[in-house]
Amino acid sequence: MTKAVYPGSFDPLTFGHLDIIERCVRLFDRVVVAILTNPAKEALFSVEERCDMIDKAVRKRFPNVEVDVFHGLLVDYAKEKDAQVIVRGIRAVTDYEYEFQMALMNRRLAPGIETVFMMPAEHYSYLSSRLVKEIAGLGGSVEGLVPPQVEKRLKKRFRKS
Ligand code: PNS
């Protein structure tokens, strides 16, 4: 059985992330979408909220996808989950340097775990959670960039502040 961990901040989930999840599902028997808990990194949504948004988006569509939270080293978490693969989405050349560094460092830490890079559909190549938050925060539309339930939460969050 091949198991992959797809780690990230997912603050919030976008259609770009979902595109990668959909591709993972076709390649691996089980996929764990793993949200990093990082108290040092300020996030718009709590880990519970992020978990809930992903869960709502995948539960019915992809029975072989699990949503989880992790802290500490990613390779330790992947070992704990018995995953052989770490999946990362690559959008543009600008992502490459950071991802390359991380993949090689993870390989040094855990030679048995392979990092697989996946490209989302071209129309998501400019999409990022950071931009989604910026646009939503400034009152712009993020329709078509995130699932409707995430759009609603963004509206609610920014209405409050
Ligand atoms: O969505 P992001 O913020 O780009 O995801 C980054 C993530 C969570 C994959 C990365 O920060 C990570 O793996 N953090 C866990 C700590 C770790 O293992 N650090 C060493 C990496 S070589």
Side-chain angles (χ1 to χ4, degrees):
M1 191 183 84
T2 53
K3 194 173 193 180
V5 169
Y6 176 37
S9 305
F10 304 103
D11 185 39
L13 175 81
T14 68
F15 276 139
H17 295 129
L18 270 177
D19 180 290
I20 297 291
I21 293 170
E22 211 171 324
R23 287 169 206 280
C24 283
V25 162
R26 285 189 229 127
L27 280 184
F28 306 107
D29 298 312
R30 267 204 91 68
V31 179
V32 184
V33 180
I35 308 164
L36 174 73
T37 338
N38 185 357
K41 199 173 163 187
E42 211 180 298
L44 179 65
F45 293 104
S46 70
V47 168
E48 292 73 24
E49 287 172 307
R50 286 181 263 162
C51 203
D52 188 52
M53 284 185 267
I54 302 173
D55 196 53
K56 279 202 172 80
V58 302
R59 201 189 315 142
K60 282 196 192 121
R61 272 179 80 194
F62 310 117
N64 59 339
V65 175
E66 172 192 333
V67 188
D68 196 16
V69 172
F70 80 104
H71 56 87
L73 280 180
L74 173 59
V75 287
D76 288 345
Y77 173 75
K79 279 186 206 161
E80 195 186 295
K81 296 299 277 185
D82 279 327
Q84 306 90 337
V85 174
I86 291 170
V87 171
R88 291 290 288 168
I90 286 242
R91 292 159 301 188
V93 191
T94 42
D95 283 338
Y96 184 76
E97 204 174 314
Y98 168 62
E99 294 297 337
F100 181 74
Q101 195 182 12
M102 207 159 57
L104 290 183
M105 193 56 89
N106 281 333
R107 180 185 283 167
R108 185 192 156 101
L109 294 168
I113 297 175
E114 211 54 61
T115 296
V116 170
F117 293 126
M118 284 185 171
M119 286 163 292
E122 309 86 271
H123 50 274
Y124 296 136
S125 59
Y126 53 87
L127 175 54
S128 71
S129 297
R130 185 182 60 81
L131 282 182
V132 161
K133 282 182 279 192
E134 188 173 322
I135 294 164
L138 295 169
S141 168
V142 291
E143 194 186 340
L145 303 177
V146 297
Q149 44 118 351
V150 176
E151 213 184 318
K152 262 191 217 149
R153 282 204 200 224
L154 281 163
K155 276 193 188 141
K156 207 169 151 195
R157 180 60 38 99
F158 286 114
R159 218 183 293 137
K160 268 191 194 157
S161 52

